[in-house]
Amino acid sequence: GVRVDLPLDPYARARYEIVRGFGERYVLTARETVFWQNTEGFGTTTRVYLDRAISDTLLLRWANLGKYTEETLGLEWYTQLTLFQSLNERTGLAWQWQTEGETDNEVQLTRHAARLIVRRQLTPDWLFLEVRAGVNWPRRMLSEEREASPEIGIALEMEFGNPR
């Protein structure tokens, strides 16, 4: 594939995924991807998600990622807790906390973040609006202070293909 961006950044990848439910309320997903990308060389990414249905309107997800490439400083990783909340058939919230780092970086915990995401299905049904706001605390070098940095975003998403 090639990302639609300049300069072009071609890649090749293979992915394997396992999804297993257990109990009445849990789903475990594990995904392994091996790849080559022009800007990163050869690498591998491991993702593990644990979902727990709390109620008909609440889902808790613990997401974890580890990535190693020829260009990374050790292992890049993150862990994220997200509480998904359904407000109605068209609107949902995601309350999120994330911590990330790099094992061989001089500061191993490079960022903490908290955010609220509001997602709304618009009319027509294949169009979605997402608004996010949050704060993150980055620090990549020992000489930097960890200071709060606000984040805000807005996105329109279009869904293609046959309805599920």
Side-chain angles (χ1 to χ4, degrees):
V2 176
R3 294 198 193 281
V4 182
D5 200 3
L6 292 176
L8 295 178
D9 192 13
Y11 64 90
R13 70 176 173 216
R15 184 181 332 190
Y16 181 75
E17 183 174 77
I18 298 171
V19 180
R20 297 285 185 261
F22 59 97
E24 292 184 12
R25 298 185 175 262
Y26 292 91
V27 175
L28 178 69
T29 304
R31 181 187 310 155
E32 185 65 33
T33 305
V34 291
F35 62 90
W36 172 86
Q37 189 168 348
N38 190 49
T39 55
E40 296 191 76
F42 287 98
T44 182
T45 301
T46 303
R47 289 179 167 86
V48 178
Y49 305 96
L50 179 61
D51 294 344
R52 184 187 191 285
I54 297 172
S55 70
D56 290 342
T57 61
L58 294 173
L59 175 82
L60 183 63
R61 173 172 291 158
W62 182 29
N64 296 279
L65 175 136
K67 177 181 173 184
Y68 178 79
T69 73
E70 293 177 299
E71 296 296 316
T72 57
L73 294 174
L75 179 74
E76 291 180 356
W77 61 271
Y78 78 75
T79 187
Q80 181 183 78
L81 275 175
T82 305
L83 179 65
F84 295 97
Q85 180 181 8
S86 174
L87 298 180
N88 57 50
E89 286 185 11
R90 291 187 170 270
T91 307
L93 302 176
W95 306 84
Q96 203 168 69
W97 174 263
Q98 181 171 321
T99 298
E100 58 190 65
E102 295 175 18
T103 58
D104 289 348
N105 194 43
E106 64 181 271
V107 175
Q108 292 189 354
L109 294 175
T110 57
R111 189 167 79 107
H112 302 288
R115 65 184 62 91
L116 173 62
I117 302 164
V118 180
R119 185 172 168 89
R120 171 93 174 147
Q121 183 180 26
L122 303 174
T123 302
D125 289 346
W126 47 264
L127 188 61
F128 297 85
L129 173 66
E130 189 173 287
V131 178
R132 60 178 54 216
V135 63
N136 69 79
W137 295 270
R139 184 176 183 206
R140 297 208 41 85
M141 296 182 293
L142 288 173
S143 60
E144 296 175 333
E145 292 293 322
R146 195 176 296 275
E147 295 181 13
S149 175
E151 60 181 62
I152 189 161
I154 187 167
L156 283 174
E157 181 180 318
M158 294 181 282
E159 190 174 282
F160 295 97
N162 295 326
R164 295 179 202 123

